[in-house]
């Protein structure tokens, strides 16, 4: 018996050390190394979280990717075979029943990111047919537009040679089998590209179309398993550019605040500097009081309409800062774009009171001094049923909503909530349909200061085919909001339907979503922010286009959040563009994981100043080349803010699959020299140029300015004529 055991042990040991063939599923490798332009590579499911189905055949095993996709594997010369069944995934255009959504349960937000829809997609994950009128800059598709499916092609490469290719394939084609010998190969690359779609640019070329490597596995010998190699961003990553916060007292943005007469008022003077800080105001209108140690102004706004100039003084042991903030009492709120935090991109429906309080603590400690003011709960706070008298209450995750609201206000911050005009929200929670006034009153009693009102299942009530139908639910709620005892900033969310920017102000909206849901990939940034090209003229103080929230920091749409998939350059571009666009700035990340880089992104007062500029203009696209764009806006001080973006795609249109892979993992210089001709901005003569991220003057330039911009990055400038 003893001998037998010994023999077995020897056999077992040998099989582990020499020669024994093993295999590893592609899905069990590090899929985060997949380089995709949209979505994330997913184990055993498509990028939308669906079962992988190729021409009707279900694949329980495999890896779903967006297109284009690249993956590099170190085989260590120990591979023997690569096997997979590949193809384009069957498309289920799920015209979801009204009110249904995958929100919250998914890795990705409702609305099927992963790029299923060209141009950002529509929440609810469906092609909404008539519900998406044409012209939404975020890519809402004109109703009836035929969908052109790209042809895709799979390649398997070994050490810089194509060893297998599928030839062109389209949705509905049977999977093709790849079964190739890979003996002796050091590095294996897997590529999927899209081949033919009319036109170019977002929505065409890299379409986000779903492909899959079904039953993909590598057989190998030896003890070192094949390993994924990094492909993404092997260039120089930018550093924290925002200078370290000064110890000297400084008064930051906003410099103007709106209120309606005789409503509760709460505002914190945005100031930084070594603590403790002391605050003073020369003359405060009756009804308001200042807490001199925190800078929180609270009370009731004046009954008399008009502009009240608050002369502010902030001091600490090192010095004194003085500035003016205008309090405008009238009919308008949000005179600069709302700045704050929203829970959706930081956990979707998993939001709870504990997370909100944690966010409040970080915001009041680190961000409030830079103007960040709102703490907004998105979907997921509602109870399953209304009370017998129809009241909408909170679920168990929010056991003390009033206590939470008081806590938010005690920190000088403002409290936002979310609902839908339909019977259900996008996350399937209860909406406000036929309870609008009652809900508004409930929120008023909780101390709500901001409402995001999201169309969602309202499509089961109305197709929204006419302007009247589109405006109706928003008017009903607006009528209800003004009856409350609060100043409630009104944020319309209906993804741009019916060119909402043309009429959002008529229903007293302060901002309106112009796009489908954002996700943390470059394609999504191109399809949201960079699509705001035809709506700038509708923006002015109190009325803002909203291309959705920021996807920086640790983000995710289920309880687990992960570092944003945007590169650092892409994050600079994202925040710069949102600032230029005067978009609401709503951070959507897990605040308890706020790292120094992300903190730098949201505490640069010169960049924030572009967003909060009191003129309230939205930047316009000035010039556009194949791979770069220049956006600019006028500022109140007579200067211009200019963003020079290198928007080019990863491969620069590369057609040769071998060249698509950075085989030797070399650092690549991803930058490009871009020339800004001042005449395109309507400027002549000498201009003083300042870099806003580094807060450094770059000098005086005549006629033009040349700058090196990293791929998907930005140079953000302030340009002012010299005297
Ligand atoms: C979507 C909306 C998201 C989020 C979500 C909640 O329609 O665009 O921002 O609010 O609903 O379910």
């Amino acid at each position: 018996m003893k001998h037998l055991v010994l023999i077995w042990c020897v056999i077992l040991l040998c099989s582990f050390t020499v020669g024994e063939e093993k295999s590893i599923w592609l899905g069990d490798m590090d899929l985060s190394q997949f380089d995709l332009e949209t979505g994330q590579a997913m184990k055993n499911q498509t990028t939308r979280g669906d079962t992988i189905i190729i021409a009707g055949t279900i694949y329980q095993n495999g890896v779903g990717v967006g297109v284009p996709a690249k993956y590099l594997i170190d085989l260590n010369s120990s591979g023997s075979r690569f096997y997979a069944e590949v193809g384009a995934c069957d498309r289920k255009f799920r015209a979801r029943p009204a009110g249904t959504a995958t929100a919250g349960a998914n890795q990705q937000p409702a609305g099927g990111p992963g790029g299923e829809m060209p141009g950002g997609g529509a929440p609810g994950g469906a092609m909404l047919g008539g519900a998406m009128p044409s012209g939404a800059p975020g890519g809402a598709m004109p109703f009836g537009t035929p969908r052109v499916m790209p042809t895709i092609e799979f390649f398997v490469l070994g050490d810089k040679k194509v060893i297998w290719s599928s030839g062109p394939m389209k949705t509905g084609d049977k999977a093709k089998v790849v079964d190739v010998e890979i003996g002796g190969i050091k590095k294996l690359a897997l590529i999927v590209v899209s081949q033919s779609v009319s036109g170019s640019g977002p929505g065409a070329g890299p379409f986000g179309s779903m492909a899959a490597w079904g039953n993909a596995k590598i057989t190998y010998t030896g003890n070192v398993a094949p390993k994924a190699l990094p492909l993404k961003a092997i260039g120089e990553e930018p550093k924290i550019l925002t200078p370290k916060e000064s110890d000297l007292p400084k008064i930051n943005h906003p410099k103007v605040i709106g209120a309606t007469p005789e409503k509760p008022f709460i505002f914190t003077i945005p100031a930084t500097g070594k603590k403790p800080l002391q605050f003073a105001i020369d003359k405060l209108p009756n009804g308001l009081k200042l807490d001199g140690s925190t800078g929180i102004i609270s009370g009731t706004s004046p009954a008399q309409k008009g502009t009240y100039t608050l002369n502010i003084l902030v001091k600490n042991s090192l010095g004194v800062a003085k500035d003016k903030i205008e309090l405008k009492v009238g009919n308008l709120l949000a005179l600069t774009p709302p700045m704050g935090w929203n829970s959706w991109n930081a956990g979707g429906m998993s939001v709870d009171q504990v997370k909100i309080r944690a966010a409040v603590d970080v915001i009041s400690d680190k961000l409030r001094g830079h103007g960040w003011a709102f703490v907004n709960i998105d979907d997921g706070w509602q109870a399953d049923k209304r009370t017998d008298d129809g009241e909408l209450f909170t679920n168990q995750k929010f056991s003390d909503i009033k206590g939470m609201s008081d806590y938010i206000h005690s920190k000088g911050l403002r409290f936002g909530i979310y609902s839908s005009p339909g019977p259900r929200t996008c996350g399937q929670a209860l909406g406000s349909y036929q309870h609008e006034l009652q809900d508004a009153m409930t929120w008023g009693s909780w101390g709500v200061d901001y409402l995001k009102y999201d169309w969602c299942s309202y499509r089961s009530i109305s197709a929204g085919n006419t302007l009247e139908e589109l405006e109706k639910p928003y008017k009903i709620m607006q009528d209800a909001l003004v009856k409350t005892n609060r100043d409630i900033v009104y944020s319309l969310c209906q993804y741009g339907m019916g060119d909402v920017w043309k009429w959002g102000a008529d229903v007293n909206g302060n901002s309106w979503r112009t796009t489908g849901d954002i996700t943390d990939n470059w394609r999504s940034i191109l399809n949201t922010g960079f699509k705001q090209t035809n709506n700038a003229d509708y923006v002015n103080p109190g009325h803002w286009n909203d291309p959705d929230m920021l996807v920086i920091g640790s983000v995710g749409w289920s309880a687990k959040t992960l570092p944003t998939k945007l590169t650092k350059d892409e994050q600079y571009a994202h925040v710069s563009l949102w600032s230029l666009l005067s978009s609401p700035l709503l951070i959507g990340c897990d605040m308890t994981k706020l790292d120094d880089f992300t903190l730098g992104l949201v505490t640069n007062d010169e960049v924030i100043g572009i967003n909060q500029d009191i003129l309230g203009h939205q930047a316009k696209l000035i010039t556009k080349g194949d791979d770069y764009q220049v956006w600019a806006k006028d500022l109140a001080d007579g200067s211009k803010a200019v963003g020079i973006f290198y928007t080019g795609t990863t491969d620069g249109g590369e057609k040769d699959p071998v060249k698509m892979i950075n085989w030797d993992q070399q650092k690549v210089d991803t930058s490009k020299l871009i020339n800004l001709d001042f005449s395109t901005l309507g400027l002549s003569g000498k201009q003083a140029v300042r870099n806003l991220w580094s807060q450094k003057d770059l000098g005086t330039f005549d006629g033009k300015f040349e700058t090196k911009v990293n791929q998907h990055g930005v140079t953000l400038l302030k340009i002012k004529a010299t005297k």
Side-chain angles (χ1 to χ4, degrees):
M1 184 61 187
K2 258 190 192 166
H3 284 113
L4 218 64
V5 172
L6 203 69
I7 290 166
W8 269 113
C9 285
V10 170
I11 291 173
L12 219 66
L13 202 69
C14 288
S15 70
F16 272 113
T17 48
V18 283
E20 177 75 358
E21 280 217 323
K22 301 187 193 93
S23 58
I24 180 168
W25 294 112
L26 186 64
D28 288 332
M29 297 182 63
D30 176 5
L31 299 184
S32 70
Q33 298 295 359
F34 252 101
D35 188 354
L36 312 181
E37 273 188 38
T38 37
Q40 283 164 254
M42 302 287 272
K43 178 180 174 178
N44 304 343
Q45 46 184 311
T46 70
T47 52
R48 289 181 67 187
D50 291 329
T51 308
I52 297 173
I53 308 175
I54 303 174
T57 304
I58 294 180
Y59 286 85
Q60 302 293 1
N61 201 317
V63 174
V65 295
V67 182
K70 313 189 255 186
Y71 197 54
L72 184 63
I73 302 163
D74 184 0
L75 287 179
N76 198 24
S77 303
S78 66
S80 47
R81 290 205 89 73
F82 174 71
Y83 178 89
E85 292 155 46
V86 302
C89 296
D90 290 0
R91 287 160 179 277
K92 295 186 287 172
F93 287 122
R94 297 172 292 183
R96 286 198 184 117
T100 66
T102 51
N106 277 355
Q107 278 287 85
Q108 304 271 14
E116 169 67 13
M117 300 188 61
M127 282 301 291
L128 297 173
M132 296 292 272
S134 61
M141 288 185 69
F143 181 42
T145 302
R147 294 173 64 81
V148 187
M149 293 303 159
T151 311
I152 60 174
E153 185 161 9
F154 292 77
F155 292 92
V156 179
L157 292 84
D159 292 337
K160 303 186 189 177
K161 282 194 199 95
V162 176
I163 52 177
W164 184 87
S165 69
S166 67
M169 295 184 78
K170 19 179 226 327
T171 314
D173 288 353
K174 254 180 101 231
K176 291 197 179 170
V177 174
V178 40
D179 188 5
V180 285
E181 275 190 31
I182 51 173
I185 289 176
K186 289 196 182 77
K187 285 178 188 166
L188 184 76
L190 307 179
I191 296 180
V192 196
V193 291
S194 76
Q195 296 280 352
S196 65
V197 185
S198 53
S200 62
F207 191 75
S209 110
M210 297 181 301
W213 297 85
N215 288 332
K217 70 174 176 196
I218 297 172
T219 310
Y220 66 100
T221 48
N223 286 328
V224 187
K227 201 174 123 235
L229 292 169
L231 268 179
K232 284 182 250 182
I234 315 176
E236 279 305 333
E237 281 266 272
K239 309 200 172 29
I240 297 175
L241 300 173
T242 303
K244 209 177 149 282
E245 203 168 281
S246 160
D247 280 342
L248 295 172
K250 183 158 79 79
I251 301 172
N252 299 314
H253 299 275
K255 308 277 190 207
V256 60
I257 168 140
T260 58
E262 292 190 291
K263 295 256 172 125
F265 182 87
I266 182 110
F267 173 74
T268 302
I269 297 168
T272 44
K274 189 171 176 233
K275 290 184 178 139
L277 293 169
Q278 268 182 286
F279 298 80
I281 299 177
D282 63 339
K283 201 165 68 176
L284 255 183
N286 282 342
L288 293 178
K289 64 174 193 313
L290 168 74
D291 179 329
S293 62
T294 59
I296 299 174
I297 306 172
S298 60
T300 305
S301 50
Q304 194 69 39
K305 289 186 179 177
T307 300
Y308 299 79
T309 302
L310 313 179
N311 289 304
I312 315 259
L313 183 145
V314 181
K315 67 174 181 185
N316 66 7
S317 55
L318 299 169
V320 177
K322 290 182 188 170
D323 209 341
K324 286 189 184 65
I325 293 184
E326 307 237 288
L327 166 60
K328 293 198 173 178
V329 180
N331 294 326
L332 273 182
L333 302 176
L335 296 179
T336 59
M339 287 175 68
W341 176 86
N342 171 295
S343 59
W344 186 249
N345 294 346
M349 300 291 281
S350 76
V351 62
D352 62 33
Q353 193 168 283
V354 178
K355 289 185 186 163
I356 300 284
R357 279 186 178 249
V360 170
D361 290 342
V362 179
I363 295 166
S364 60
D365 183 30
K366 298 187 168 148
L367 303 184
R368 191 180 69 178
H370 299 276
W372 299 91
F374 287 95
V375 179
N376 298 349
I377 316 178
D378 206 280
D379 210 351
W381 59 268
Q382 310 87 331
D384 284 345
K385 278 197 192 124
R386 290 178 178 271
T387 60
D388 289 344
D389 50 12
E391 205 179 318
L392 178 56
F393 211 69
T394 53
N395 57 33
Q396 289 130 344
K397 295 186 295 164
F398 290 90
S399 56
D400 180 15
I401 191 101
K402 184 64 173 64
M404 199 187 78
S405 162
D406 290 345
Y407 186 64
I408 294 172
H409 291 141
S410 75
K411 302 279 184 180
L413 302 172
R414 282 181 275 168
F415 171 34
I417 209 150
Y418 166 96
S419 190
S420 169
R424 294 267 160 191
T425 65
C426 291
Q428 284 275 48
L430 280 180
S432 295
Y433 183 56
Q434 290 185 331
H435 290 272
E436 293 83 359
L437 183 59
Q438 194 175 17
D439 289 356
M441 289 301 168
T442 304
W443 299 328
S445 74
W446 292 345
V448 162
D449 306 296
Y450 182 111
L451 172 68
K452 172 175 172 184
Y453 207 42
D454 191 353
W455 181 270
C456 300
S457 73
Y458 192 77
R459 66 178 68 99
S460 68
I461 308 297
S462 157
N465 282 333
T466 63
L467 180 61
E468 204 189 335
E469 281 173 10
L470 287 166
E471 286 185 340
K472 187 174 168 193
Y474 290 97
K475 273 190 178 147
I476 294 175
M477 183 49 84
Q478 176 57 26
D479 289 348
L481 293 178
V482 292
K483 295 195 177 109
T484 68
N485 63 338
R486 311 276 315 169
D487 267 350
I488 300 182
V489 171
Y490 195 25
S491 153
L492 276 45
C493 179
Q494 46 83 291
Y495 342 115
M497 295 189 293
D499 296 354
V500 62
W501 47 95
K502 295 183 180 159
W503 53 267
D506 298 342
V507 295
N508 284 341
N510 295 114
S511 67
W512 36 84
R513 276 273 297 278
T514 55
T515 69
D517 287 14
I518 198 169
T519 46
D520 53 333
N521 62 70
W522 184 240
R523 178 66 39 196
S524 182
I525 302 297
L526 290 175
N527 281 332
T528 53
F530 285 102
K531 285 288 176 74
Q532 308 303 301
T533 48
N534 60 350
N535 52 15
D537 292 340
Y538 301 91
V539 159
N540 51 50
H543 307 118
W544 313 105
N545 286 314
D546 174 8
D548 208 359
M549 301 171 280
L550 300 175
V551 274
I552 53 176
S554 186
V555 298
W557 292 269
S558 60
K560 188 174 169 205
T561 64
L562 293 168
T564 178
K565 299 268 176 312
L566 294 176
T567 65
K568 291 195 163 83
D569 281 307
E570 290 169 349
Q571 294 176 62
Y572 277 119
H574 179 25
V575 177
S576 303
L577 183 60
W578 265 238
S579 294
L580 285 161
L581 292 173
S582 301
S583 308
L585 293 180
L586 292 167
I587 303 171
C589 71
D590 180 342
M591 280 296 188
T592 62
K593 296 186 190 158
L594 196 66
D595 55 290
D596 288 349
F597 180 79
T598 313
L599 188 65
L601 287 175
V602 296
T603 52
N604 190 313
D605 299 308
E606 295 200 17
V607 177
I608 292 173
I610 299 306
N611 177 269
Q612 296 289 301
D613 186 70
I614 55 171
L615 200 58
H617 280 198
Q618 172 174 311
K620 292 188 172 168
L621 178 59
I622 304 295
T623 29
K624 186 176 174 184
D626 280 348
D627 55 6
Y628 75 94
Q629 299 187 17
V630 176
W631 291 69
K633 80 186 238 186
D634 291 335
L635 300 173
D637 67 359
S639 65
K640 282 183 192 291
V642 182
I644 304 166
F645 297 89
Y646 175 15
T647 48
T649 55
T650 330
D651 298 320
E654 183 55 69
K655 293 276 181 287
D656 179 355
V658 174
K659 292 196 187 133
M660 284 179 191
I661 301 286
N662 182 358
W663 291 94
D664 302 316
Q665 315 255 268
Q666 277 159 353
K667 283 208 164 171
V668 276
D669 180 2
T670 62
S671 66
K672 178 185 171 81
L673 273 179
I674 303 179
N675 198 357
L676 173 69
D677 181 341
F678 291 152
S679 68
T680 60
L681 300 168
L683 299 175
S684 57
K686 288 193 177 145
Q687 309 291 328
V689 177
R690 181 168 172 84
N691 184 310
L692 292 173
W693 279 107
S694 64
Q695 301 184 358
K696 283 193 183 124
D697 288 329
L698 303 179
T700 301
F701 296 81
D702 204 353
K704 65 180 175 110
F705 176 80
E706 199 176 46
T707 178
K708 218 172 148 195
V709 189
N710 282 348
Q711 193 167 56
H712 298 179
V714 64
T715 299
L716 185 65
L717 305 170
K718 188 164 177 170
I719 301 185
K720 193 166 190 182
T722 54
K723 284 181 196 123

